[in-house]
Amino acid sequence: MQIEELYNHFIHSSGISTDTRRIEMGNLFFALKGENFNGNLFAVEALSHGAALVIADEIQFPDNEKIVVVDDVLKTLQQLANHHRRQLRSK
């Protein structure tokens, strides 16, 4: 998925979440990984809590059109933020 397409999902979403305990209906869930956690493990749970789309970087998921697999979730989130800032400046 190109960043422009992801941005289109973002502007039609209710926001972004990186924590399944705080997901609001319609959020985009970014499955971040760290030393002590792996958000990819919560991708399906995020959808069950109302996430509109999950952005993950592990391919273990069944075919699900609401789970987008990218090379690196953190880099994708950063690219989305940069794209959003550019869109705001151009208005």
Side-chain angles (χ1 to χ4, degrees), residues 45-63:
E45 180 180 341
L47 292 173
S48 72
H49 287 348
L53 194 69
V54 170
I55 296 78
D57 56 14
E58 293 182 5
I59 305 174
Q60 76 228 23
F61 304 108
D63 289 336

Side-chain angles (χ1 to χ4, degrees), residues 38-79:
N38 183 348
N40 289 284
L41 301 175
F42 301 98
V44 175
E45 180 180 341
L47 292 173
S48 72
H49 287 348
L53 194 69
V54 170
I55 296 78
D57 56 14
E58 293 182 5
I59 305 174
Q60 76 228 23
F61 304 108
D63 289 336
N64 186 325
E65 62 192 32
K66 291 188 174 190
I67 299 177
V68 176
V69 179
V70 298
D71 290 334
D72 185 308
V73 171
L74 179 58
K75 286 183 183 178
T76 301
L77 181 56
Q78 292 167 336
Q79 289 171 347

Side-chain angles (χ1 to χ4, degrees), residues 17-50:
S17 180
T18 60
D19 186 338
T20 54
R21 297 168 295 183
R22 302 187 196 306
I23 287 183
E24 295 180 16
M25 188 65 70
N27 277 175
L28 302 185
F29 176 71
F30 282 78
L32 295 174
K33 289 190 284 193
E35 197 171 302
N36 298 314
F37 60 92
N38 183 348
N40 289 284
L41 301 175
F42 301 98
V44 175
E45 180 180 341
L47 292 173
S48 72
H49 287 348

